[in-house]
Amino acid sequence: MSSSAETRPMPDSVAPGSLRPPSVEHLVGGADAEVLAAYGRSAFTGAVRAVLADLRAAGGRVPDAAALRDAAAARLAAERRPCLRPVFNLTGTVLHTNLGRALLPRSAAEAVAAVMTQASNLEFDLATGARGERDDHVEGLIRRLTGAEAAVVVNNNAAAVLLVLNALAMRREVIVSRGELVEIGGSFRIPDVMVRAGCRLREVGTTNRTHLRDYAEAIGPRTGLVMKVHPSNYAIAGFTAAADPEALYALCRERGVPLADDLGSGSLADLAAYGLPPEPTIRAALERADLVTFSGDKLLGAVQCGIVAGRKDLVARIRKNPLKRALRVDKMTYAALEAVLRLYLHPERLAEELPTLRLLTRDRADIAARAKDLAPAVAERVSGWATVSVAACISQIGSGALPVETLPSAALVLTPAVGGADPRRGAGGRCKRLTERLRALPVPVIGRISGDAILLDLRTLEDEAGFLDTLAALPRPG
């Protein structure tokens, strides 16, 4: 049986520097009422036990009781911080795959919130009271904006390609130019997808030159599909040749073989009209293909999804494929996609209301002016860590869209200070240390290292006040 000395609560003044920590009961009993209310007594007790266990494992002197309670509260705060959270994307890549690609307009976020919190007519026909088709919520808009006869939506463009291949060419040949056998992020390779779809790849042409006659000679009784693939993330230049798209489409129609065009990113708007590098639109692609597949969260500026649009009879076969159910999207995706598609009905306001287009079309001079205005406030917040200057830089679109095209921009250049806690660090080490600190901010700041400095490309910065607030949490170097 324990003695009274062992069970009596220990005053906080006894703990500092002691070899023996306070009891769990003592630490929990003296905790701030607001902390207990925020996290719950049971959770706080568990955190205290974990802190004490770490302390025993580390050995050494014991902090005072207040410090132990603070450590327990900090542990709970870290556990409750969402794993998926906002960051400031100042990398210079507008559609950054690792940072979530396209930003949704407010109208899309509101539409998602509305269907999240109550029942919806996802698969219910309000006119007839019968079961409905979930693609109906966006198919009409897709048809109107692209000229397609029909459309289906799945969870991303890779799924769209897989579904098209499996539905139209399982156990048959699919003809693709060797120059279009791409690999994109995550080791996604067109030949591998064909294997999983149950198709047999028939390569034609060479890496740099494929002619119409190559397709004509390859099409035969076992051909299920001819496929064009957008060269995401690279470009072939120099001594090159490709079959004329209209002539290839005419050949496929003559031979009775469907032609599918995987656009990858896919744009609903004529980007050249906004002063951007030109990219074939979905409508234009459908004029020389039976089907097109494209992403929702790239140039389209919506939520992650993949869309198959084109001939009604082919889309009907795709919709009946069992994989369609496995690859379908939820009500939130339809809500967001519908809201974004509606913005395209008002092209005169699109560059203002669609975040992707707004960021891509920002004027370099405007970005440079904002960088100059922000530089003093940023310099104050990173004092001791780095000096701040403004420089011209280059942005890119990202996510495989227009891979060799760039956009002029401006950046805050953070040059890490020499010395600090560890003067032995080289420029690379100082940059690495500062980027780690920037990533640890309440809203992480993600830039890019260039030489001996960190560039914060301001093309994608719209919340300047929030950016300065999060930088204010940067601790002083030590």
Side-chain angles (χ1 to χ4, degrees), residues 266-438:
S267 178
L268 284 175
D270 178 7
L271 297 182
Y274 296 92
L276 294 170
E279 174 84 344
T281 65
I282 298 160
R283 180 180 287 275
L286 277 170
E287 292 176 356
R288 50 181 185 263
D290 296 299
L291 291 172
V292 296
T293 59
F294 53 97
S295 296
D297 59 345
K298 296 182 182 178
L299 287 175
L300 197 150
V303 69
Q304 177 184 301
C305 64
I307 300 172
V308 184
R311 267 174 47 186
K312 188 174 183 179
D313 60 323
L314 298 179
V315 171
R317 289 170 59 185
I318 291 166
R319 184 172 281 128
K320 291 177 181 178
N321 188 287
L323 281 179
K324 171 60 167 66
R325 183 176 181 86
L327 302 173
R328 71 183 184 181
V329 299
D330 66 4
K331 59 186 178 182
M332 293 174 282
T333 299
Y334 283 109
L337 179 59
E338 179 187 5
V340 171
L341 291 174
R342 289 192 183 281
L343 295 181
Y344 282 89
L345 300 177
H346 304 282
E348 64 277 4
R349 294 163 48 190
L350 189 62
E352 177 185 350
E353 296 188 358
L354 188 67
T356 294
L357 194 55
R358 184 170 67 240
L359 297 177
L360 291 176
T361 56
R362 285 189 70 184
D363 181 65
R364 188 206 65 81
D366 175 64
I367 301 171
R370 298 309 306 144
K372 184 178 179 181
D373 290 344
L374 280 172
V378 172
E380 179 183 348
R381 285 159 175 77
V382 302
S383 177
W385 285 101
T387 58
V388 178
S389 59
V390 176
C393 68
I394 295 297
S395 302
Q396 61 181 4
I397 295 172
S399 295
L402 298 167
V404 298
E405 304 290 347
T406 57
L407 304 170
S409 187
L412 296 173
V413 182
L414 275 55
T415 304
V418 177
D422 187 356
R424 295 170 299 174
R425 289 178 180 266
R430 292 191 293 271
C431 280
K432 181 175 183 295
R433 185 181 180 219
L434 182 51
T435 58
E436 290 171 350
R437 290 293 185 175
L438 293 174

Side-chain angles (χ1 to χ4, degrees), residues 94-346:
V94 178
L95 298 171
H96 200 302
T97 297
N98 305 130
L99 301 181
R101 291 185 179 167
L103 306 181
L104 289 180
R106 184 171 298 277
S107 60
E110 291 171 351
V112 170
V115 299
M116 285 175 64
T117 53
Q118 62 189 71
S120 67
N121 62 325
L122 178 63
E123 289 188 2
F124 185 79
D125 189 325
L126 294 173
T128 65
R131 179 168 182 164
E133 165 58 53
R134 59 178 63 195
D135 282 332
D136 287 349
H137 298 293
V138 295
E139 186 178 21
L141 284 166
I142 295 171
R143 291 171 55 194
R144 180 175 175 181
L145 293 167
T146 68
E149 295 178 355
V152 297
V153 181
V154 289
N155 60 10
N156 60 17
N157 190 51
V161 172
L162 176 69
L163 188 57
V164 167
L165 291 170
N166 186 260
L168 304 182
M170 186 169 65
R171 294 188 291 274
R172 304 189 73 185
E173 291 182 348
V174 178
I175 298 173
V176 183
S177 167
R178 282 192 176 92
E180 297 173 4
L181 295 177
V182 302
E183 175 183 323
I184 59 174
S187 298
F188 176 87
R189 293 180 170 185
I190 287 295
D192 295 341
V193 175
M194 289 192 180
V195 171
R196 296 297 187 272
C199 306
R200 179 183 175 187
L201 171 63
R202 178 74 182 270
E203 303 175 30
V204 296
T206 63
T207 302
N208 60 320
R209 294 176 70 82
T210 301
H211 304 280
L212 184 64
R213 66 176 180 271
D214 295 318
Y215 291 99
E217 292 169 0
I219 295 175
R222 294 189 57 80
T223 304
L225 187 70
V226 174
M227 191 171 183
K228 294 287 295 176
V229 183
H230 189 283
S232 299
N233 296 323
Y234 79 100
I236 298 176
F239 186 59
T240 64
D244 177 74
E246 293 182 2
L248 178 59
Y249 187 31
L251 172 67
C252 291
R253 290 201 310 270
E254 177 188 325
R255 301 289 185 88
V257 176
L259 173 62
D261 190 351
D262 173 23
L263 292 180
S265 183
S267 178
L268 284 175
D270 178 7
L271 297 182
Y274 296 92
L276 294 170
E279 174 84 344
T281 65
I282 298 160
R283 180 180 287 275
L286 277 170
E287 292 176 356
R288 50 181 185 263
D290 296 299
L291 291 172
V292 296
T293 59
F294 53 97
S295 296
D297 59 345
K298 296 182 182 178
L299 287 175
L300 197 150
V303 69
Q304 177 184 301
C305 64
I307 300 172
V308 184
R311 267 174 47 186
K312 188 174 183 179
D313 60 323
L314 298 179
V315 171
R317 289 170 59 185
I318 291 166
R319 184 172 281 128
K320 291 177 181 178
N321 188 287
L323 281 179
K324 171 60 167 66
R325 183 176 181 86
L327 302 173
R328 71 183 184 181
V329 299
D330 66 4
K331 59 186 178 182
M332 293 174 282
T333 299
Y334 283 109
L337 179 59
E338 179 187 5
V340 171
L341 291 174
R342 289 192 183 281
L343 295 181
Y344 282 89
L345 300 177
H346 304 282

Side-chain angles (χ1 to χ4, degrees), residues 52-103:
L52 293 178
D54 290 346
L55 189 63
R56 284 191 293 271
R61 293 287 179 177
V62 176
D64 62 29
L68 292 171
R69 293 186 187 106
D70 288 346
R75 191 183 191 98
L76 289 171
E79 289 176 355
R80 292 199 175 187
R81 179 181 298 161
C83 185
L84 182 63
R85 53 199 180 104
V87 304
F88 284 103
N89 171 20
L90 305 183
T91 63
T93 301
V94 178
L95 298 171
H96 200 302
T97 297
N98 305 130
L99 301 181
R101 291 185 179 167
L103 306 181

